[in-house]
Amino acid sequence: MNSALIESELGTFRAQFTETGLARLQFPQAKADPLANAIDPPAKWLHQTTSALHTMLQGKTPRTLPPLDLSVGTAFRQAVWDLLLAIPGGTVQTYGELAYQLNQPKAARAVGGACGANPIPVIVPCHRVVGANGSLTGFSGGMKWKVRLLRIEGIELPLH
């Protein structure tokens, strides 16, 4: 399986790349999930990914991100993932707010589905999305990771 292991203070993440860029980032202890079209990453992409991940795990915003391959998602999911990249560190938005930004105010659940399907968590910060009343809802890496990532960014919990 073509993947790169990225060591951090919080464990070893698994990154997988395609010809287009970083396509998947898996949390420590996650079961390895092979990516059919994975390649060995160019050194520059691996360095950018490692740097971005470490920066985010310190609660800061990376200056640069590696090229991202988010092509696994539908057009709607890709639009949600683009919005996630625009949420400033240390802040949260609700699923409904993102749905409204997409001019689909009744699509909050679909936004949640897109967040859950995000193949590059942490770097594409789906952990910054919360329920309408500030509640912490599901997270692909588990609620402990969501809480940990929000706290790293200085977000006081509970939000409501």
Side-chain angles (χ1 to χ4, degrees):
M1 168 173 31
N2 290 335
S3 60
L5 300 179
I6 301 174
E7 299 291 334
S8 79
E9 291 181 11
L10 300 178
T12 304
F13 288 78
R14 179 182 308 277
Q16 294 176 302
F17 299 81
T18 64
E19 294 286 342
T20 308
L22 176 64
R24 183 180 292 155
L25 185 67
Q26 291 182 277
F27 285 98
Q29 278 83 45
K31 182 181 175 191
D33 186 12
L35 186 65
N37 57 343
I39 63 163
D40 288 328
K44 180 178 181 178
W45 289 3
L46 183 55
H47 174 74
Q48 289 171 326
T49 301
T50 301
S51 178
L53 179 62
H54 286 169
T55 300
M56 293 201 66
L57 293 176
Q58 294 170 2
K60 300 175 185 169
T61 302
R63 283 190 222 165
T64 59
L65 295 178
L68 303 176
D69 179 356
L70 295 167
S71 63
V72 295
T74 63
F76 178 83
R77 286 183 172 180
Q78 289 179 27
V80 171
W81 298 335
D82 285 343
L83 289 178
L84 297 177
L85 288 164
I87 301 172
T91 65
V92 295
Q93 288 192 351
T94 68
Y95 298 99
E97 288 170 336
L98 294 177
Y100 185 79
Q101 289 176 41
L102 293 168
N103 294 319
Q104 296 188 42
K106 295 184 180 189
R109 284 182 184 230
V111 168
C115 289
N118 174 11
I120 310 174
V122 184
I123 291 176
V124 178
C126 51
H127 61 276
R128 295 180 184 152
V129 185
V130 298
N133 63 356
S135 61
L136 299 183
T137 57
F139 185 63
S140 63
M143 289 306 293
K144 287 182 181 181
W145 270 106
K146 185 167 190 159
V147 168
R148 179 181 278 169
L149 293 169
L150 291 172
R151 285 189 174 144
I152 286 171
E153 292 189 13
I155 296 173
E156 295 293 324
L157 301 172
L159 297 171
H160 54 295

